[in-house]
Amino acid sequence: MIEVRNLTKVYQMGDERVAALDGVSLSIARGEHIAVIGPSGSGKSTLMNILGGLDRPDGGAYLFDGEDVSGFDDDELAHFRNQRIGFCFQSFQLLPRLTALQNVELPMIYGGWPPAQRRARAAEMLERVGLASRMGHRPTQMSGGQQQRVAIARALANSPDLLLADEPTGALDTHTTQEVLALFEELNRDGLTLVIVTHESEVADHAKRRIAFRDGQVVADDRSLAPA
């Protein structure tokens, strides 16, 4: 599904040029559950941002189902993000004045769904993540785990091909972390491709493949648990 070839990304930090990605090449098959690990500044979040169309590489190629995403213009990139990618973040990124249902509707509004259809789809996704009784609650009325479930429901709204999660359990306690990881595993069993950026070994241990980054390069790729 995904292939990146010799991907590079350089940031200017004062007088210094820092290579966040330094010739990264890897492939991701549909249906994989991958943990991307590495110390802070290793390049793992930069890779996630490029895979999700939130940033552009300075060099190399990024192919998604054979299309060169690195060559998309801004409109094509926005459409790609909305239709093909789901995002989950450590800070949830929910709008506090909106209910859970309204937050889940947002990507469908951008996708042009009719109101009745998007409300029905949002309700279906909240039920999917176990929040059927919290649809009318705002983020401040929910626990951290419930907010992350709303974020996951929102990420699933447009039936993405790929779910990208950046430290999705970083703000959660141990029990809630286990609940969210179990939900990710269930989604993966249903066929969703998952790429989770994490520094937590407990989270990485749930993945079927672990890719380790250091200094902008892939230093290890454990495929021992990857699906055949």
Side-chain angles (χ1 to χ4, degrees):
M1 183 172 76
I2 290 172
E3 185 175 0
V4 297
R5 302 172 183 165
N6 199 31
L7 217 58
T8 61
K9 183 68 180 180
V10 178
Y11 294 105
Q12 191 74 37
M13 310 289 286
D15 294 332
E16 185 180 3
R17 287 169 59 83
V18 177
L21 294 178
D22 185 12
V24 170
S25 297
L26 57 85
S27 60
I28 297 172
R30 192 174 296 276
E32 285 203 83
H33 180 182
I34 297 172
V36 180
I37 60 176
S40 179
S42 62
K44 58 187 188 297
S45 291
T46 300
L47 175 71
M48 192 203 79
N49 288 339
I50 290 174
L51 292 181
L54 297 172
D55 201 356
R56 297 178 185 273
D58 293 323
Y62 166 27
L63 304 179
F64 195 105
D65 280 345
E67 289 189 279
D68 187 358
V69 178
S70 52
F72 284 0
D73 63 27
D74 290 346
D75 289 342
E76 290 171 330
L77 206 55
H79 181 77
F80 169 75
R81 286 193 301 266
N82 182 257
Q83 297 297 311
R84 310 297 296 273
I85 310 294
F87 297 95
C88 291
F89 301 96
Q90 179 176 344
S91 57
F92 315 134
Q93 302 288 343
L94 301 177
L95 296 184
R97 294 187 178 182
L98 300 185
T99 65
L101 189 74
Q102 291 168 333
N103 267 286
V104 176
E105 283 186 76
L106 284 175
M108 292 181 284
I109 293 175
Y110 300 135
W113 287 56
Q117 291 184 22
R118 69 175 185 249
R119 281 193 294 272
R121 175 67 175 175
E124 178 188 353
M125 291 301 95
L126 285 169
E127 184 175 357
R128 176 73 177 79
V129 300
L131 290 179
S133 63
R134 295 289 187 270
M135 294 185 191
H137 287 61
R138 290 180 171 80
T140 54
Q141 298 171 307
M142 293 183 285
S143 67
Q146 289 171 339
Q147 290 183 64
Q148 190 59 288
R149 285 175 178 268
V150 173
I152 293 170
R154 180 185 59 193
L156 299 175
N158 280 334
S159 300
D161 298 288
L162 173 66
L163 178 63
L164 296 172
D166 192 2
E167 302 288 0
T169 61
L172 305 178
D173 60 39
T174 301
H175 176 72
T176 308
T177 291
Q178 291 298 322
E179 291 182 338
V180 170
L181 292 177
L183 177 57
F184 281 146
E185 290 180 331
E186 183 180 339
L187 293 170
N188 180 246
R189 285 194 298 271
D190 288 344
L192 184 64
T193 306
L194 296 175
V195 175
I196 300 176
V197 170
T198 184
H199 67 275
E200 299 178 68
S201 58
E202 177 187 12
V203 175
D205 287 345
H206 282 256
K208 298 174 183 176
R209 176 182 172 194
R210 288 170 290 278
I211 301 174
F213 272 73
R214 184 176 294 276
D215 297 328
Q217 297 180 325
V218 175
V219 294
D221 188 347
D222 177 11
R223 295 172 175 267
S224 61
L225 297 177

